[in-house]
Amino acid sequence: MNTSIAEMMRSDADRFRPQGICKRALPGYRKMNRVFVRLMFEDNSPLRQFEYWMRIDLDIRFHHRIAFDPFIVMKAGNFVFGYHVCSRHGGCQEGFPGFALNYKTTHNLTVTTELGEEYVRTHTMFYGNIGMGEVKFFTSTPVLNYLRAIDNEGGIWRQRWGDQHIYVSVIMFFSDANRTVSISKMLNATHKSALLKGGPCKFFQRVKMNADSYIQVYDDKAMLISDVQGFKVLESYGPAEEIIAQNPQIQHILK
């Protein structure tokens, strides 16, 4: 995978010259953001032979075994993106919300998540050190064209735009919050010795959608997934009959 500066950047140096509050970010960090935003989804990416991708940064430490298969979670729930915790931070995002919302308008994109544009405008981000996604979704033509447009605009190099915020806009513009899942309840992890605190993004604050718990069955296994302000959150993983027997409050769902 070639992360070198494209010819376009060499011919228009001022457009890509680092500036703003994140001016001092190292070139390696900007190259990393290009990988996560565009390059790992391109036509020549080795990811294209797989169904899902997962990112775990080297400075993440797990304090116990993960008691679930994250890829089964994604497949059984028909999710396109999974993340650890949600946050809101405007650093290194100068100009990005305006660019993203203008792209949405000029390409006639429909946002189905309530307040979806507001999440993009107010710097909502998926904490980026742990994440996973559906390859078919991220390599689809509409999504990849959007990611290419972001890269070509130069903000990744100029203001150090990051994948955490960009992924939120991808979900808002090309999917829906109901096709994302937070795995924060299942992980006990630290980042640079600091405990990762937080939870699911609080989407659907006005309207609580899909509020009933339900069972998803996959490969003779089941996951009890409940809804937290419109967000599907994994609660339990194991044999379907055992989960149902241990949770009488959900047995009516199967009738």
Side-chain angles (χ1 to χ4, degrees):
M1 184 178 296
N2 184 7
T3 61
S4 62
I5 299 177
E7 184 62 33
M8 175 182 59
M9 298 181 182
R10 296 192 184 97
S11 61
D12 192 358
D14 289 340
R15 183 180 176 189
F16 297 94
R17 182 172 289 111
Q19 58 185 265
I21 61 175
C22 293
K23 178 179 179 179
R24 298 185 182 279
L26 296 175
Y29 202 101
R30 301 172 197 272
K31 289 182 179 181
M32 178 191 72
N33 284 349
R34 285 196 73 215
V35 171
F36 287 126
V37 170
R38 173 184 179 177
L39 297 181
M40 74 179 194
F41 306 122
E42 274 292 356
D43 296 335
N44 60 349
S45 171
L47 279 183
R48 286 178 172 257
Q49 63 185 301
F50 301 103
E51 290 186 76
Y52 300 96
W53 57 270
M54 187 170 187
R55 166 189 178 178
I56 302 174
D57 284 7
L58 292 176
D59 50 9
I60 288 291
R61 179 183 178 187
F62 294 102
H63 298 276
H64 60 72
R65 291 178 60 87
I66 300 177
F68 66 98
D69 186 327
F71 301 109
I72 290 182
V73 172
M74 295 291 288
K75 195 175 185 84
N78 193 29
F79 299 121
V80 297
F81 189 72
Y83 66 97
H84 188 244
V85 296
C86 191
S87 184
R88 184 167 286 168
H89 189 277
C92 306
Q93 289 301 293
E94 296 167 281
F96 174 70
F99 170 86
L101 293 171
N102 181 68
Y103 188 97
K104 176 259 178 190
T105 300
T106 57
H107 289 76
N108 298 312
L109 303 179
T110 300
V111 176
T112 58
T113 300
E114 184 186 17
L115 302 179
E117 291 186 32
E118 190 66 17
Y119 293 117
V120 176
R121 185 177 293 109
T122 56
H123 310 292
T124 304
M125 58 178 276
F126 299 126
Y127 198 82
N129 301 89
I130 303 173
M132 49 192 174
E134 182 189 55
V135 172
K136 181 174 66 175
F137 171 71
F138 279 89
T139 58
S140 65
T141 298
V143 172
L144 186 53
N145 283 343
Y146 174 59
L147 298 177
R148 287 168 174 166
I150 292 172
D151 186 31
N152 292 338
E153 197 281 339
I156 294 175
W157 282 92
R158 192 175 58 250
Q159 274 89 18
R160 212 226 73 186
W161 292 353
D163 55 280
Q164 300 99 321
H165 299 86
I166 290 171
Y167 287 167
V168 171
S169 69
V170 169
I171 298 300
M172 297 302 114
F173 295 165
F174 302 98
S175 187
D176 187 274
N178 268 330
R179 296 197 66 194
T180 64
V181 60
S182 169
I183 58 175
S184 59
K185 288 189 176 182
M186 290 80 72
L187 297 179
N188 180 9
T190 54
H191 173 228
K192 297 180 179 178
S193 300
L195 182 65
L196 294 175
K197 296 182 179 180
C201 293
K202 295 182 178 179
F203 296 124
F204 307 108
Q205 296 184 49
R206 298 178 184 175
V207 179
K208 190 174 181 181
M209 303 177 67
N210 301 328
D212 291 332
S213 300
Y214 65 95
I215 287 285
Q216 283 279 8
V217 179
Y218 180 71
D219 277 357
D220 299 321
K221 298 286 187 177
M223 290 173 287
L224 169 60
I225 303 178
S226 65
D227 198 280
V228 179
Q229 291 186 316
F231 231 86
K232 297 168 184 172
V233 182
L234 183 69
E235 299 284 359
S236 188
Y237 172 60
E241 292 183 0
E242 292 182 13
I243 291 180
I244 294 168
Q246 295 169 4
N247 296 273
Q249 74 275 17
I250 64 155
Q251 292 177 8
H252 71 281
I253 299 173
L254 304 179
K255 294 180 181 180

